[in-house]
Amino acid sequence: MKILKKISFIVIALATLLVPLSMPYKEVEVEAKAQTLRQLKNELAENERELEENKQQQAQTQSQISSSKKRIEQISQEKIQIEKDVADLTDEIEQLNKDIVSMNVEIKDLMSYYQLSNTGESAALEYVFDASTFTDFIYRMAITEQLGEHNSDLIKQYNQTISENEDKKVELANKTEELNDKEKELEEQVKQNQATLTKTLEGAVSIEDEIKNQKKLIDIYENTYKCKLDELLDDCLAGKLPPDTAFYRSVVSGRVSSNYGKRTYKLNGKWTSDFHYGVDMSATHGAKVYSSANGVVAAVFKKQSCGGNMVYINHLVNGKKYTTGYYHLADIKVKVGQTVSSTTVIGHVGGSPKYETWDHCSTGSHNHFTISTGNWGTTYKSYSGFISKQINPRKVVNFPALGKSFTSRDRKY
Ligand SMILES: [Zn+2]
C-alpha cells in the first residue's frame, strides 16, 4: 500500500515535472495529398476559391458588425429622447400639482368669500330688506358657484392629465427596458461576430500562405524539376533533391522536454491527455534552428495561432523520402523552393508567449521537431493529412532521453 502510494506520487510528480512546452495541435480536416502537378494545381484552385469565400465571409461579418453598431447608436439616441420625454412629463406633473394646489386655495377663498357675504347679507336681509342688495347677493353667489365649479372641473382635468402622464412614464420605462435588452443582445452579437471575424482573418492568412507555397512549388516542379503534368511528383523528384546520409538535431543545445507519443499533463489546473506528434527541444529563445538534413523547403507558414512560424522541408536521406517540420519559430529565414543543407539556418527558436504572442500552442521557448515519411508535394494545411505519415523522430534522429540536455547537433546518446 505504502509502495503504491509512493509510486503514484512519483508518477504524479514526474508528470508535473514534464509539463510540456507545446500544447496539442488543433485537428484540421483531412485533405487529399497532391500526387501530381495537375492535382497540385487543382488544390491551388480549390484554395483560391476558399480564399474568395473567406473574403466574402469577412465582408459579410463586417457589415453585420457595422449594422449592429448602427442600431446600438440609434438605441442610445432613442434612450436619450425617452429620458427627455420622461423629464418633460415629470415637469408637467409637477406643474399640474402646483396648479391644483393653487386652485384649491382659490376655491377655499371663494367659498369663504361666499360664506362671509352670506352671513353679512343675511343680517341685512333680516332687518333691512333691500331689493338691490338682494339681487347683488344672488348674483355674487351665482358667480362664486360658477367659479367654484369651473375650478373643480379644471382640477379633475388636471388630475386626469397627471394620471395619463404617469401611465406614459410607465410605458416609457418599459420601452427603456426593452431597449436595454435589445442593446445587450446587439452587443453580444457584435462580440460574437468580432470573434468570427478574427477566426476568418486567421483562416485567410493560412490560406494565403498555402497559396503562396503552392504557387512556388508549382513553379519549381514545372521549371526547375521539369515535372510533367500527370507524372507522380515522387517519381519526378526522386534523385533530384540534394541527398543526405543522416538527420541531425535542429538546435545545437537544448533539453528534450517532450517526447513523441501519448502524454498526460496538467493544463490550466486540469489533467489533460493528448498525442504529441514530435519531439520538443526546449532551447534559448532566439537560438539558431537548422535544417535537420539537406533538402528543399516545401512550405512555410507564418504566425499560425497554433504552431506559430512553421517550416517544412523535403529530404532524401539514404534514398528514402522524408519531410521534416519545425514549429514555434521566432522567424523564418528560408523561402519555399530554397535548397538547404543541414547547416542552413532556417529560423530561430521561438514559442515564448512573451514574444510570439500569436502562438497559443506554446508555453515556453522550444523547437518542436516533427518528421513524416514521403509527403513530397503535399499541402501542409491539413495537419492531420501530414500526421498520417508521421513517425517517431527518434527512429531517424538521435536524441538524449526525456529531460536530458545536449550541447551539439550530432553527438550520439
Ligand atoms: Zn511539441
Side-chain angles (χ1 to χ4, degrees):
M1 194 62 201
K2 247 188 175 173
I3 290 169
L4 258 180
K5 255 189 185 172
K6 234 180 203 170
I7 289 172
S8 66
F9 171 76
I10 289 168
V11 167
I12 288 169
L14 263 177
T16 315
L17 269 174
L18 300 179
V19 169
L21 284 164
S22 78
M23 291 183 219
Y25 292 92
K26 287 172 209 157
E27 276 297 318
V28 196
E29 78 279 9
V30 179
E31 207 162 291
K33 168 194 162 189
Q35 307 273 355
T36 63
L37 198 50
R38 189 192 296 278
Q39 283 168 0
L40 189 60
K41 283 184 172 179
N42 288 341
E43 281 182 4
L44 172 65
E46 178 61 37
N47 270 334
E48 277 169 341
R49 260 198 302 278
E50 212 177 297
L51 184 63
E52 194 46 51
E53 263 171 44
N54 180 297
K55 294 242 155 107
Q56 276 168 15
Q57 173 76 41
Q58 280 179 40
Q60 203 187 325
T61 314
Q62 191 62 65
S63 94
Q64 274 169 1
I65 290 172
S66 5
S67 83
S68 297
K69 280 187 171 168
K70 217 181 261 168
R71 183 74 192 106
I72 290 172
E73 178 52 33
Q74 277 172 2
I75 286 176
S76 86
Q77 291 301 327
E78 277 171 49
K79 276 163 71 181
I80 291 171
Q81 188 53 51
I82 286 178
E83 265 176 42
K84 274 187 197 150
D85 290 350
V86 169
D88 287 349
L89 288 171
T90 311
D91 285 352
E92 203 183 340
I93 289 170
E94 207 177 305
Q95 189 53 49
L96 287 169
N97 275 324
K98 269 185 201 159
D99 289 351
I100 288 170
V101 169
S102 60
M103 268 189 287
N104 272 325
V105 171
E106 210 174 299
I107 290 170
K108 229 178 170 181
D109 287 352
L110 276 170
M111 290 316 282
S112 60
Y113 174 67
Y114 165 74
Q115 274 164 2
L116 192 78
S117 313
N118 198 19
T119 22
E121 299 297 339
S122 62
L125 269 177
E126 254 178 60
Y127 301 104
V128 194
F129 183 79
D130 181 327
S132 75
T133 313
F134 183 68
T135 315
D136 181 48
F137 162 68
I138 295 291
Y139 174 73
R140 223 188 291 173
M141 196 170 72
I143 293 280
T144 310
E145 260 176 14
Q146 260 180 29
L147 279 173
E149 250 170 53
H150 177 68
N151 275 4
S152 300
D153 282 352
L154 271 182
I155 289 173
K156 234 184 245 167
Q157 264 179 39
Y158 286 2
N159 275 325
Q160 174 90 21
T161 309
I162 288 173
S163 114
E164 276 169 15
N165 280 3
E166 296 288 4
D167 287 350
K168 272 187 210 157
K169 274 171 80 175
V170 170
E171 218 175 273
L172 289 174
N174 287 337
K175 177 93 183 147
T176 305
E177 217 166 278
E178 261 172 47
L179 287 174
N180 281 338
D181 288 350
K182 186 73 198 161
E183 196 176 33
K184 251 185 225 154
E185 196 185 299
L186 285 165
E187 274 164 358
E188 191 49 44
Q189 266 175 27
V190 169
K191 227 167 133 190
Q192 277 174 12
N193 275 329
Q194 264 160 350
T196 306
L197 188 63
T198 308
K199 244 191 197 166
T200 317
L201 282 169
E202 261 180 31
V205 170
S206 62
I207 300 170
E208 277 165 358
D209 275 353
E210 184 81 5
I211 287 173
K212 252 190 254 162
N213 289 334
Q214 285 171 326
K215 281 185 174 166
K216 202 73 199 269
L217 275 182
I218 288 170
D219 175 51
I220 289 161
Y221 293 154
E222 258 176 352
N223 301 313
T224 310
Y225 296 124
K226 312 276 182 210
C227 302
K228 291 181 193 80
L229 204 54
D230 290 310
E231 185 187 4
L232 286 175
L233 288 170
D234 279 5
D235 290 346
C236 172
L237 288 167
K240 291 174 184 166
L241 274 186
D244 211 337
T245 53
F247 283 104
Y248 301 105
R249 290 182 287 274
S250 49
V251 290
V252 173
S253 65
R255 183 179 60 85
V256 177
S257 54
S258 198
N259 265 337
Y260 174 94
K262 201 168 180 219
R263 58 183 184 175
T264 303
Y265 57 96
K266 222 169 186 177
L267 180 68
N268 302 326
K270 264 190 182 171
W271 286 103
T272 313
S273 275
D274 71 352
F275 197 96
H276 185 232
Y277 290 95
V279 166
D280 283 345
M281 289 160 276
S282 76
T284 311
H285 189 267
K288 287 170 181 167
V289 176
Y290 297 88
S291 171
S292 190
N294 300 343
V296 169
V297 178
V300 298
F301 292 95
K302 283 173 189 159
K303 298 191 175 180
Q304 300 295 296
S305 63
C306 191
N309 291 316
M310 303 155 103
V311 170
Y312 289 94
I313 300 175
N314 291 155
H315 307 275
L316 186 70
V317 174
N318 295 325
K320 277 190 186 159
K321 290 163 269 180
Y322 298 92
T323 300
T324 53
Y326 312 78
Y327 301 169
H328 312 295
L329 299 170
D331 56 7
I332 294 173
K333 293 287 176 199
V334 286
K335 285 185 182 144
V336 173
Q338 185 179 331
T339 301
V340 292
S341 77
S342 57
T343 56
T344 304
V345 175
I346 59 167
H348 295 89
V349 172
S352 159
K354 196 170 144 194
Y355 302 112
E356 286 75 37
T357 47
W358 52 82
D359 188 353
H360 305 299
C361 286
S362 179
T363 54
S365 299
H366 79 289
N367 185 225
H368 171 104
F369 177 80
T370 178
I371 184 163
S372 74
T373 53
N375 266 318
W376 289 355
T378 194
T379 57
Y380 298 93
K381 193 177 69 188
S382 64
Y383 185 78
S384 48
F386 180 72
I387 42 183
S388 67
K389 285 201 156 188
Q390 273 174 320
I391 55 169
N392 187 342
R394 284 184 184 277
K395 283 190 178 165
V396 287
V397 189
N398 188 275
F399 288 102
L402 182 65
K404 296 280 186 229
S405 298
F406 54 88
T407 50
S408 77
R409 293 186 60 205
D410 54 356
R411 196 191 135 184
K412 298 266 184 274
Y413 292 96

